[in-house]
Amino acid sequence: MPRELPLNRTRNIGIMAHIDAGKTTLTERILFYTGKTHKMGEVHEGTAEMDWMVQEKERGITITAAATSCFWKNTIINIIDTPGHVDFTMEVERSLRVLDSAIAVFDGVAGVEPQSETVWRQADHYHIPRICFVNKMDRVGADFERCLDMIREKLHARPLPLQIPMGLEDAHRGVIDLVTMKALAWTDELGMEIQEVDMPADLAEKAKHYRDALLETVAENDDAVMHKYLEGIEPDEQEIRNVIRKITTETVVFPVLCGSALRNKGVQPVLEAIVDYLPSPRDIKPVEGHNPKNTEEIITREASDKEPFCGLVFKLMSDPYVGKLSYLRVYSGHMKTGDQVFNVTTGKKERVQRCLRMHANDREDIKEVFTGDIVAVVGLRSARTGDTLADENNPILLEKMEFPDPVISVAIEPKTKADQEKLETALRRLEEEDPTFHVNSDPESGQTLISGMGELHLEIIVDRITREFNIQANVGKPQVTYKETITRTAESESRYEKQIGGKDQFGHVVIRMEPGQPGTGLVFRNELKGEEIPAAFIKDVEAGLADAMQAGVIAGYKMDDVAVALTGGSYNETASIPMAYRIAANNAFKEGARKAGPALMEPVMKLEVVCPDEYTGDVINDINSRRGRIENINIRGMLKVVDAFVPLSEVFGYATSVRSMSQGRATHTLQVSHYEIVPKEITDRIIGRMTGVYY
């Protein structure tokens, strides 16, 4: 089966935003105007095509990243609609990992909100070109210029307005296109009729100002246009578009459009901008990976069907009809149904049973996939999120995906013993789907603990267990997932000598431990001057240290931010074995940690509260009572915005509290920021709660 369209007519985009900015509504309009759907789905009515999960329809939020494809101007647009709620940020992360570009949607009233900042940083990490769409120009308080200022100040990005709104709030009826200098109005309810109208006299000067700024930006990034500009010659429309495309792809600027997706205004120009300004897979640099047999050797793959096959599994889903779906981005080559692929990560060969093009939860069988495609594959039993698939004779290992540790846990047990096995099966399946969801057993109580990124995350998990797997469960109160670390430098030594089955075992290590940089986990350095320990055993020493990091010395929580140097040790020619060094390193770490000022760390949340001025004092006092730290108090229109950092343990049930103190007029956003060392009196209380011994 030949490719449907040339690769340069492919766009792989994500729609990303803060919750309630309107990204799913924008996606629904895109699908309608491209003919993919014949009725506009509405988030508030629970009819959005892309929010297919029961929980999404009930709550009016996107929980899981949904993929679809549509066509516009002879271009295939593969779209992933991502969640906006902070608990599901990693859904955005793994989607951005495989996308070539994105549309960042901003609320025209609120501007750049906390989750907007988070997803923007994620996109920066992957160097993803973006178009900005300032939505909700019809809402009271909409302010296009303020949104531009917030993009500059909060995101440290350079917005390039390609439109300005024609009218705001109730008067919003269209946009002025700065590339063509035409005023466009949407005149029917469905937004199908776009009319070119006379430019309003009161906007002529403003439009000229923005047009001049656009031309200056274009000129400074292209010599030919600059030459014309200096001679007073107006560059033609295509020249302007070509330069905008170039500097957008290079992330020099971020084009900005505006409108109201809910009122069906401004969506078609977004589609035009996707085709005109966002890159195809051929426009981005070749994907890089490592030789699996020599991790220091860098391998690149061009985006071409002629290259050896290479793809990345970025998402797993359980489908009741076809079983396990592995979502795949194809970076090079092509693959047919029935082909055998090599999982470079696991070293296993697997047979592709079916290839599917997804539309949210619906699927379409396709016989062959090509470079640039985003599809789902059936039959990959051993595949996990982040695995690389490749041609066995031309293997390449792509950069793995990193996921943060969960911050909150609850105990769960089935209401009947008969459901115990069903619950275990359900939890395994959900854990496989979601890399930020973990299942553990409490060694002391024997309870099953499920951990995730927030209260909503775990609430959705429990709801899915009840509905999808038909299991009734008892769920405990949320508990904070703490970490442990060290606060000073210490040295330790461990000599492991044992005889097992008549054979001597020997391992001996000397280490130095010191506090590491925040978020670095375990940093290992080999500082041996000679051959005190043969090189073959060094990896076993590091593995033993990694084992020890899994349970700290204060309360058994996972350790983080520790730098360990191997400074000495010895070797016994007849008795030294890998496991002995692994055990010795583990013991040395535990001993050293006890001497290095062990401390408990707690997750700290970034809190933003938006409220009327008369409630600001109550909000601030409440934050202070929760061990919070006020960072900023800003003005947003008629409202006050309070930014603070608060320990997670102090904000359980905060939504109810802030509604009560503001008579329901305040809104808030919470997202995980970082970990901080817990004050001693709080540490003593936590240990007492766990052990029953209070200091």
Side-chain angles (χ1 to χ4, degrees):
M1 182 182 87
R3 168 187 283 282
E4 287 180 86
L5 289 167
L7 186 56
N8 64 354
R9 305 307 299 178
T10 297
R11 302 289 184 271
N12 291 319
I13 69 167
I15 315 279
M16 61 186 206
H18 186 89
I19 192 169
D20 287 336
K23 59 186 169 38
T24 299
T25 301
L26 176 65
T27 307
E28 295 292 324
R29 273 41 180 185
I30 287 173
L31 297 179
F32 178 77
Y33 295 129
T34 57
K36 185 72 178 185
T37 58
H38 302 289
K39 185 178 181 296
M40 292 183 187
E42 302 292 357
V43 174
H44 59 277
E45 294 176 359
T47 59
E49 290 270 336
M50 302 303 285
D51 287 347
W52 59 269
M53 293 176 68
V54 175
Q55 294 83 0
E56 294 178 315
K57 292 182 180 296
E58 289 179 351
R59 298 166 186 264
I61 61 171
T62 302
I63 293 169
T64 185
T68 189
S69 301
C70 57
F71 293 85
W72 184 261
K73 297 289 178 70
N74 202 34
T75 300
I76 183 170
I77 305 173
N78 298 315
I79 302 173
I80 297 181
D81 178 28
T82 64
H85 195 283
V86 63
D87 284 13
F88 309 104
T89 298
M90 285 302 107
E91 277 286 301
V92 186
E93 176 86 22
R94 61 180 174 177
S95 299
L96 290 173
R97 171 69 174 81
V98 298
L99 292 170
D100 302 325
S101 55
I103 300 173
V105 183
F106 300 98
D107 185 316
V109 179
V112 177
E113 299 173 273
Q115 187 64 4
S116 309
E117 294 182 65
T118 300
V119 296
W120 191 273
R121 286 197 300 271
Q122 289 171 315
D124 280 343
H125 176 73
Y126 294 114
H127 309 291
I128 289 179
R130 278 144 279 174
I131 287 172
C132 303
F133 180 66
V134 181
N135 194 22
K136 304 187 181 183
M137 289 286 96
D138 60 313
R139 280 189 60 202
V140 175
D143 190 330
F144 183 70
E145 281 81 9
R146 183 162 58 82
C147 286
L148 295 176
D149 289 340
M150 292 178 79
I151 291 171
R152 293 185 191 97
E153 294 164 10
K154 287 198 169 189
L155 305 180
H156 308 291
R158 185 178 179 184
L160 181 66
L162 304 185
Q163 299 172 345
I164 60 172
M166 190 161 58
L168 293 172
E169 302 179 352
D170 289 342
H172 178 62
R173 60 192 185 104
V175 300
I176 295 173
D177 187 317
L178 301 171
V179 176
T180 61
M181 285 302 278
K182 293 177 181 177
L184 305 175
W186 279 259
T187 57
D188 67 317
E189 194 172 316
L190 287 177
M192 301 290 287
E193 297 176 11
I194 310 172
Q195 291 186 2
E196 187 179 325
V197 298
D198 293 334
M199 188 176 298
D202 61 331
L203 289 175
E205 190 63 34
K206 178 184 280 190
K208 184 180 182 304
H209 168 75
Y210 275 101
R211 164 80 173 184
D212 290 344
L214 170 64
L215 292 179
E216 282 181 21
T217 302
V218 168
E220 69 186 36
N221 286 281
D222 186 270
D223 290 341
V225 177
M226 175 62 82
H227 186 69
K228 283 188 176 181
Y229 185 76
L230 293 174
E231 291 186 353
I233 302 170
E234 187 97 342
D236 63 49
E237 187 180 314
Q238 194 54 52
E239 279 183 305
I240 296 172
R241 295 189 189 280
N242 290 344
V243 178
I244 294 172
R245 177 183 177 84
K246 173 179 171 290
I247 57 181
T248 301
T249 299
E250 295 170 350
T251 64
V252 175
V253 299
F254 301 92
V256 184
L257 296 90
C258 59
S260 171
L262 185 63
R263 304 300 174 207
N264 309 319
K265 293 177 173 66
V267 178
Q268 293 94 333
V270 172
L271 282 162
E272 299 285 347
I274 292 170
V275 173
D276 289 345
Y277 305 131
L278 292 182
S280 75
R282 291 186 61 179
D283 299 320
I284 58 176
K285 67 177 186 179
V287 67
E288 283 189 355
H290 300 277
N291 183 338
K293 296 178 181 177
N294 178 13
T295 55
E296 293 185 1
E297 181 187 347
I298 304 294
I299 302 173
T300 61
R301 288 282 161 80
E302 299 282 345
S304 167
D305 296 337
K306 296 178 181 179
E307 287 273 297
F309 172 74
C310 164
L312 184 76
V313 177
F314 67 95
K315 180 181 173 73
L316 301 177
M317 287 285 292
S318 289
D319 188 286
Y321 302 104
V322 300
K324 181 173 150 183
L325 290 175
S326 303
Y327 282 74
L328 178 71
R329 160 67 192 265
V330 182
Y331 283 102
S332 64
H334 58 99
M335 176 186 71
K336 297 192 294 292
T337 297
D339 280 357
Q340 184 175 271
V341 294
F342 180 58
N343 188 324
V344 185
T345 309
T346 64
K348 295 180 179 179
K349 300 176 191 175
E350 298 205 70
R351 184 77 57 186
V352 176
Q353 296 175 3
R354 294 172 70 183
C355 296
L356 304 169
R357 180 168 285 147
M358 302 300 293
H359 174 57
N361 200 35
D362 296 327
R363 64 197 73 80
E364 173 195 349
D365 275 281
I366 52 177
K367 297 296 183 184
E368 192 169 5
V369 298
F370 299 89
T371 301
D373 284 348
I374 295 176
V375 295
V377 175
V378 180
L380 308 182
R381 294 184 180 180
S382 68
R384 296 291 184 269
T385 299
D387 284 3
T388 303
L389 305 180
D391 177 8
E392 187 179 5
N393 297 320
N394 297 278
I396 180 174
L397 188 61
L398 302 179
E399 180 189 355
K400 67 178 183 179
M401 302 170 76
E402 301 285 350
F403 299 98
D405 293 324
V407 296
I408 186 172
S409 304
V410 296
I412 188 169
E413 62 180 18
K415 288 187 177 179
T416 64
K417 286 193 176 181
D419 279 343
Q420 182 64 45
E421 192 172 329
K422 284 174 64 180
L423 178 63
E424 290 172 1
T425 301
L427 292 175
R428 278 198 304 272
R429 191 178 297 177
L430 291 168
E431 191 175 29
E432 185 180 68
E433 285 184 17
D434 185 350
T436 61
F437 172 65
H438 292 185
V439 183
N440 296 291
S441 181
D442 188 317
E444 293 187 6
S445 66
Q447 287 181 312
T448 299
L449 296 177
I450 59 174
S451 307
M453 302 308 296
E455 289 182 90
L456 180 62
H457 187 192
L458 293 182
E459 193 180 313
I460 296 295
I461 291 286
V462 172
D463 194 48
R464 289 186 65 188
I465 288 169
T466 303
R467 298 196 197 205
E468 293 177 28
F469 300 94
N470 197 27
I471 302 168
Q472 298 300 314
N474 296 316
V475 181
K477 291 183 178 178
Q479 303 171 17
V480 175
T481 302
Y482 295 92
K483 290 183 179 181
E484 296 184 28
T485 191
I486 60 173
T487 59
R488 57 177 181 262
T489 301
E491 295 185 353
S492 70
E493 179 177 6
S494 176
R495 185 184 298 267
Y496 179 81
E497 294 179 277
K498 203 164 186 175
Q499 191 175 75
I500 299 176
K503 292 186 176 180
D504 290 332
Q505 296 186 355
F506 178 85
H508 174 218
V509 300
V510 182
I511 62 171
R512 182 182 70 254
M513 310 174 59
E514 56 193 30
Q517 293 297 313
T520 55
L522 170 66
V523 178
F524 173 71
R525 297 191 303 276
N526 179 8
E527 294 185 357
L528 294 176
K529 299 291 192 287
E531 292 290 321
E532 301 99 313
I533 301 173
F537 294 119
I538 301 300
K539 66 178 186 299
D540 301 294
V541 173
E542 186 174 2
L545 297 171
D547 291 344
M549 290 278 287
Q550 299 309 306
V553 296
I554 299 176
Y557 290 107
K558 185 178 179 181
M559 296 199 72
D560 204 0
D561 306 338
V562 181
V564 183
L566 176 63
T567 59
S570 60
Y571 168 69
N572 184 307
E573 193 170 332
T574 58
S576 286
I577 62 170
M579 185 52 69
Y581 281 99
R582 189 163 183 157
I583 295 171
N586 190 312
N587 294 339
F589 184 99
K590 296 288 189 187
E591 181 192 332
R594 292 187 185 93
K595 298 190 292 186
L600 207 61
M601 294 197 296
E602 63 183 346
V604 175
M605 310 298 285
K606 184 179 180 182
L607 170 65
E608 181 188 88
V609 182
V610 181
C611 62
D613 185 45
E614 60 261 39
Y615 302 109
T616 306
D618 291 337
V619 167
I620 291 171
N621 290 335
D622 182 69
I623 291 170
N624 289 332
S625 72
R626 298 171 185 270
R627 296 196 286 127
R629 184 173 73 251
I630 305 293
E631 291 293 298
N632 292 297
I633 302 173
N634 297 310
I635 298 172
R636 184 182 297 168
M638 303 295 290
L639 302 171
K640 287 287 183 67
V641 182
V642 181
D643 293 315
F645 291 102
V646 189
L648 172 60
S649 61
E650 303 288 345
V651 290
F652 288 139
Y654 184 73
T656 303
S657 178
V658 77
R659 275 198 303 267
S660 175
M661 75 178 76
S662 68
Q663 299 181 15
R665 295 174 66 189
T667 60
H668 78 286
T669 307
L670 278 164
Q671 58 181 347
V672 180
S673 174
H674 60 282
Y675 275 76
E676 286 183 2
I677 290 177
V678 181
K680 186 178 183 312
E681 64 274 14
I682 307 293
T683 299
D684 293 343
R685 203 184 307 159
I686 294 166
I687 295 172
R689 195 166 59 239
M690 295 180 63
T691 63
V693 180
Y694 290 85
Y695 295 89

